[in-house]
Amino acid sequence: NAGVTQTPKFRILKIGQSMTLQCAQDMNHNYMYWYRQDPGMGLKLIYYSVGAGITDKGEVPNGYNVSRSTTEDFPLRLELAAPSQTSVYFCASSYAGPNSPLHFGNGTRLTVT
Amino acid sequence: AQRVTQPEKLLSVFKGAPVELKCNYSYSGSPELFWYVQYSRQRLQLLLRHISRESIKGFTADLNKGETSFHLKKPFAQEEDSAMYYCALFATNKLIFGTGTLLAVQP
């Protein structure tokens, strides 16, 4: 039982490039989330999903897109990378809503130069 | 506005000393509060939630609605308690995190 798996662990992008951060969970959780954490800041919610085919914006969705075609996968897409997107990205899942225990991935450290 | 404040970036104590990690929240509704912890080289994980009223690894947290606080306490710190601690508030169907406090327990 791997829990929540994020890939890659590290990535350096040039301004304007695009990439997809992968997230998969094997716990059959309905809820999945993407957070970003900037230095000295708390985690900010980017997007979340309450089930396959359903996604919604969080606090800081600009510059990102998500999809949820299956229960297991919740990829995060950056279309035109900007330096402001340099951050650590965490994917998480929970069985019920965010007031049930969140299970986090190990994070992806992204640098945009 | 809904907000979680953790005023201390770093808290350094000696082994065996009491620990109190501060958390204050701003929310007009009935709050649900949580403490998450990240040990070195491990994932962020739930430590405890106020509705459970439980003690986990010797830590407790009491919700004080009058002071809008949810401080995390442990009477005797251990070296293995060294970690990053995040307070979180469940509000308007989202989990709002504080900026975190790094607890360093010195031998």
Side-chain angles (χ1 to χ4, degrees):
Chain A
N1 203 346
V4 178
T5 303
Q6 284 184 241
T7 55
K9 290 185 179 177
F10 305 94
R11 183 73 186 268
I12 298 174
L13 283 181
K14 294 191 186 306
I15 294 171
Q17 287 185 319
S18 61
M19 77 164 292
T20 300
L21 281 65
Q22 301 292 345
C23 176
Q25 53 92 8
D26 60 2
M27 297 172 283
N28 202 32
H29 285 171
N30 289 319
Y31 288 73
M32 295 188 75
Y33 317 84
W34 274 105
Y35 287 91
R36 60 177 285 175
Q37 184 178 32
D38 300 329
M41 306 293 286
L43 281 74
K44 300 286 187 187
L45 183 65
I46 305 171
Y47 269 96
Y48 67 100
S49 169
V50 302
I54 306 168
T55 62
D56 208 347
K57 296 178 180 178
E59 303 169 80
V60 290
N62 291 342
Y64 307 95
N65 276 303
V66 293
S67 60
R68 185 93 183 270
S69 56
T70 66
T71 300
E72 294 77 20
D73 299 299
F74 191 42
L76 178 72
R77 178 87 179 156
L78 283 71
E79 289 295 348
L80 291 170
S84 60
Q85 293 178 304
T86 294
S87 191
V88 180
Y89 291 83
F90 291 98
C91 179
S93 72
S94 64
Y95 180 72
N99 56 340
S100 63
L102 265 62
H103 297 256
F104 283 86
N106 278 322
T108 296
R109 186 174 295 275
L110 176 67
T111 301
V112 182
T113 62
Chain B
Q2 298 135 9
R3 187 169 54 246
V4 175
T5 303
Q6 293 181 253
E8 301 143 326
K9 286 188 187 296
L10 170 66
L11 181 64
S12 183
V13 301
F14 286 103
K15 178 182 172 181
V19 171
E20 182 178 68
L21 296 164
K22 291 183 168 46
C23 172
N24 289 89
Y25 66 90
S26 173
Y27 182 51
S28 57
S30 185
E32 284 190 62
L33 286 145
F34 307 81
W35 278 98
Y36 278 80
V37 60
Q38 188 171 26
Y39 301 101
S40 179
R41 296 190 185 86
Q42 293 188 30
R43 303 170 187 221
L44 193 59
Q45 58 187 286
L46 178 67
L47 179 63
L48 57 80
R49 49 196 301 190
H50 91 271
I51 61 171
S52 300
R53 300 188 67 80
E54 57 199 345
S55 172
I56 304 292
K57 300 184 179 183
F59 283 98
T60 59
D62 291 319
L63 176 61
N64 186 323
K65 292 186 179 181
E67 295 183 358
T68 59
S69 69
F70 188 57
H71 303 327
L72 185 67
K73 300 177 184 179
K74 185 169 183 176
F76 307 104
Q78 304 297 315
E79 290 181 67
E80 56 265 30
D81 297 327
S82 295
M84 194 73 179
Y85 291 81
Y86 294 92
C87 183
L89 165 71
F90 175 67
T92 56
N93 217 30
K94 295 181 180 58
L95 201 59
I96 300 165
F97 286 86
T99 52
T101 298
L102 179 63
L103 175 64
V105 181
Q106 311 293 335

